[in-house]
Amino acid sequence: MTKSKIVRMDNVGIVVESLDNVIPFFIELGLKLEGRATIEGEWAGRVTGLGDQHVEIAMMVTPDGHSRLELSQFLRPTVISDHRMAPVNSVGYLRVMFTVEDIDEVVSRLSKHGAELVGEMVQYENSYKLCYIRGVEGILIGLAEQLGNK
């Protein structure tokens, strides 16, 4: 078996309508804003295949510093597809899962930012308490709380 050449996963990208609306939601969840920048120019369009693009990004980092979300607001070209409200069994990237310490408390706090349970909160054996929520702008988030020996 060949050894993988992957060093790490840098981030997961989420395209949003408004960084100003979404950043506070992820801060409430517990991520920190690592930085915000504008990306534009011919080189950027060559990477994405979108040509002339102008994008504002915000990099959010988990408290342990190991995982990041790159939130992108496209100013040019305009967004041409929106699958945020697709059910969880749709093809494509649909959700990000976070492990939290007190899932009930986190859901309560996020509900003040418009988050709603997708189904219901469930417990898997004596291992995990789990739920999916739709947060600000309909972004799908999974939450898991490990039970028992952590």
Side-chain angles (χ1 to χ4, degrees):
M1 188 170 194
T2 315
K3 185 174 180 177
S4 172
K5 301 295 184 189
I6 293 176
V7 175
R8 69 177 178 270
M9 185 183 84
D10 279 338
N11 64 67
V12 173
I14 300 175
V15 176
V16 301
E17 288 182 47
S18 168
L19 290 176
D20 292 332
N21 290 339
V22 176
I23 290 170
F25 176 79
F26 283 107
I27 288 173
E28 186 68 35
L29 180 59
L31 278 70
K32 295 176 188 167
L33 177 61
E34 188 174 53
R36 198 165 168 168
T38 299
I39 311 268
E40 62 182 321
E42 177 266 335
W43 69 270
R46 287 196 342 253
V47 172
T48 62
L50 293 176
D52 182 27
Q53 70 179 35
H54 183 174
V55 183
E56 188 175 355
I57 66 164
M59 195 64 75
M60 308 295 297
V61 63
T62 57
D64 65 5
H66 294 286
S67 301
R68 287 171 176 71
L69 285 180
E70 181 181 303
L71 305 173
S72 302
Q73 179 180 344
F74 278 81
L75 305 172
R76 185 180 64 244
T78 58
V79 175
I80 62 167
S81 180
D82 186 343
H83 62 269
R84 287 176 288 184
M85 300 312 286
V88 73
N89 63 341
S90 299
V91 175
Y93 299 101
L94 287 170
R95 67 130 175 95
V96 177
M97 176 74 77
F98 295 97
T99 299
V100 298
E101 290 182 354
D102 182 344
I103 196 168
D104 295 308
E105 189 269 337
V106 171
V107 169
S108 176
R109 277 190 298 110
L110 294 178
S111 68
K112 294 173 186 166
H113 288 265
E116 297 179 347
L117 283 173
V118 171
E120 57 187 86
M121 184 128 14
V122 298
Q123 183 169 324
Y124 174 70
E125 298 179 348
N126 291 322
S127 300
Y128 286 94
K129 202 170 180 183
L130 305 154
C131 72
Y132 281 178
I133 61 170
R134 286 225 183 257
V136 66
E137 292 195 14
I139 296 171
L140 187 60
I141 304 291
L143 299 174
E145 176 184 353
Q146 187 175 359
L147 305 173
N149 289 338
K150 297 180 181 179

